[in-house]
Amino acid sequence: MGILTVVEDRPTPKAVYNWRVYTCAAVASFASCMIGYDSAFIGTTLALPSFTNEFEFAKYTADHLALVKANIVSVYQAGAFFGSLFAYASSYYLGRRKSLMIWITIFIVGGGMMLGANRARGLGLIIGGRVLAGLGVGGASNMVPIYISELAPPAVRGRLVGIYEMGWQIGGLVGFWINYGLQETMAPSHKQWIIPFAVQLIPAGLLLIGAIWLKESPRWLFTKGRREEAFRNLCWIRNLPVDDLYLVEEVVAIDAQIENDRITIGPGFWRPFTALFDRKVMWRFFLGSTLFLWQNGSGINAINYYSPTVFKSIGISGANTGFLTTGIFGVVKTVVTFVWLLYLIDHLGRRKLLMFGAAGGSFCMWFIGAYIKLSNVGSGKKSEKLSSGGIAAVFFFYLWTVFYTPSWNGTPWVINSEMFSQNTRSLGQASAAASNWFWNFIISRFTPQMFLKMGYGVYFFFASLMVLSIPFVYFLVPETKGLPLEAMDRLFEVKPVPRANGIVMQELREQEEEFRHDTEGAELPVEKSNPVRTKSL
């Protein structure tokens, strides 16, 4: 079996794995490029001498400066929290594609506002612009994973939603390196620090243009009764004729799910809210939201937003050295994300990645915290070179990145994009995305104060949370890889949780064989497939 070989839930024509579905995922993922860049560039920009001089940070006390930096960073998360919730309404009434265009436009307006900031006007335009930008990324973080998961064939759904995460890392990579490049090639000036703020408009503009080409989600169209358009879009995405057996089987499953939701939940904007009184539905909302508590509890956003502060705590001094070390962090994340996307997410599955990543990441955090405690890095002593212990701490920091990136970085987004039923998917994703941005806000808002007051204890705090996430995943989160979206209700009914995926996959194979037996003689076109449901892509 090759690296791109996948295990299928049913025989699937090769035409299904076509350029259209991959291109749709890639275009939509310009949104995550934008989000990743915004998450990464702000930390090094706040440390850029031209920025600190423009807004006279030297006049601030340490506590006041920490508060100002926390506000600049955290208002973005606050906006994203509300944007992810508001996106439920736009998604319900307007669909995935139009909603995405609206939220990206809001982001562009916010990005444009930031470009008007200077010493005379103060930081108000940056803070106000980051609120609007946050609203935009919050809405996009709701829309894009749902959109991709609803287009994706089950066998490669993790890989396709993973493109969203890859976009996040590519944007982050640019964001981590841009200020190092500017520091090296351009004299300190207003123009030097305004360039990073302007660059965030590039992926947003590309997405707004690309969204004109995207097709609306067929599953959303089916729920709205727009069947002719839904069939047309589904045929285009699958690259199959309307009477192909694979397509017929997929539509039968979609219709069955919609009918089940109509009976159990009911149609209408408010019905998914009333469904939350159902313990089974509420349980999935709880799991999805709590995954982002553990994700942010790993410490990633403390590093994303305040990377120079983090490296300074280890003992790395000098703006250029801090920027370079931060840039390498971005490279490591991007390379490992590529491996995660191509192989790990659809082969090892979601559960194993989360538990393995938490165990390894926690060990690294314990080591870094112990080094800072024993070496007394914060004592004020200056040294041109890192000690051997400091070098080891930097190594373990990058090793932590290797553990974290293919596990908690993108996997919670994949799980949340696929585990809800059709009628609750948009609200479920809104809840999960809002949870992400809420915990993101908490971490980003208090990280400067945590480093001031806790020192090495910050690393022990994050290490402890990573340990606690392991039993949570093992006992409560079922494996979702390889299953159709319409099988998720059944998956969350099966016990014990660690065996649920295998049980449901076997049931689906038996149902698929019965379906094909019942349709023999219907003269539906079907591509001959190997009985062993694996395929190299």
Side-chain angles (χ1 to χ4, degrees), residues 42-56:
I42 193 65
T44 50
T45 301
L46 292 179
L48 204 61
S50 59
F51 186 87
T52 61
N53 291 336
E54 175 97 31
F55 295 101
E56 301 179 312

Side-chain angles (χ1 to χ4, degrees), residues 380-393:
K381 295 180 181 179
K382 299 292 183 182
S383 176
E384 293 297 320
K385 292 185 178 180
L386 281 173
S387 65
S388 57
I391 294 171

Side-chain angles (χ1 to χ4, degrees), residues 6-7 9 17 21-22 25 145-164 219 238 250 340-341 345-346 350 413-420 425 479-488 491 501 505 508 537:
V6 295
V7 179
D9 63 310
Y17 305 112
V21 70
Y22 281 92
I146 291 177
Y147 177 76
I148 296 175
S149 71
E150 291 184 345
L151 263 58
V156 294
R157 188 172 57 243
R159 183 181 301 169
L160 288 171
V161 178
I163 293 175
Y164 172 78
R219 280 178 166 81
R238 296 287 182 258
E250 183 169 15
W340 169 81
L341 180 155
I345 188 64
D346 281 323
R350 291 51 159 157
W413 289 104
V414 174
I415 294 174
N416 274 282
S417 73
E418 60 193 1
M419 73 175 184
F420 297 102
R425 185 170 298 125
E479 180 57 67
T480 56
K481 79 178 179 81
L483 296 175
L485 296 178
E486 289 71 33
M488 294 300 163
L491 176 69
N501 182 274
M505 186 68 82
L508 287 173
L537 304 180

Side-chain angles (χ1 to χ4, degrees), residues 9 483-484 487 504-513:
D9 63 310
L483 296 175
V504 175
M505 186 68 82
Q506 182 58 38
E507 291 177 355
L508 287 173
R509 287 170 178 163
E510 293 172 359
Q511 292 169 11
E512 179 268 329
E513 289 173 3

